[in-house]
Amino acid sequence: MLLIHCPHCNEERPELEFAYAGEAHIVRPNEAEQAEMSDADWSKFMFIRDNIRGDHAERWWHAHGCNMFFNAIRNTVTDKFTMTYKVCQKRPTEHQIKVAKND
Ligand SMILES: [Zn+2]
């Protein structure tokens, strides 16, 4: 069984308690920026996401636990979670991801 570390509960919990919630670090344009956006740009913001082969920053939801969202670096090839972190934290650098893999 795949275990996922929730940074809020600070526990490893079974994957069945979690739900994938999309790509992390997607910044919604403010109202002024939205007013200037073309339909094509708005469509791109709403629907187009990266499809990375390798380490991907993702948003996860501890739906059957603390009910909090958090971010994770997950390898899309191996399905291995390298690290999880709170939504308020910055995306880890490549160096931080590399160090976490060696832990
Ligand atoms: Zn939790």
Side-chain angles (χ1 to χ4, degrees), residues 31-78:
E31 287 186 25
E33 291 168 333
Q34 290 176 29
E36 299 295 319
M37 292 176 79
S38 68
D39 288 346
D41 286 343
W42 181 251
S43 179
K44 184 177 177 184
F45 162 72
M46 289 295 289
F47 303 111
I48 304 300
R49 297 292 180 257
D50 290 337
N51 187 17
I52 294 172
R53 178 179 169 82
D55 295 326
H56 190 227
E58 301 173 332
R59 173 85 30 102
W60 283 80
W61 176 33
H62 197 178
H64 300 288
C66 64
N67 201 30
M68 298 287 285
F69 286 87
F70 62 91
N71 292 336
I73 301 295
R74 183 181 65 89
N75 189 295
T76 58
V77 176
T78 64

Side-chain angles (χ1 to χ4, degrees), residues 10 15-16 23 44-46 53 73 75 82 90 96 103:
N10 202 23
E15 67 176 304
L16 296 174
E23 186 175 339
K44 184 177 177 184
F45 162 72
M46 289 295 289
R53 178 179 169 82
I73 301 295
N75 189 295
T82 303
K90 288 184 179 178
Q96 290 170 317
D103 285 346

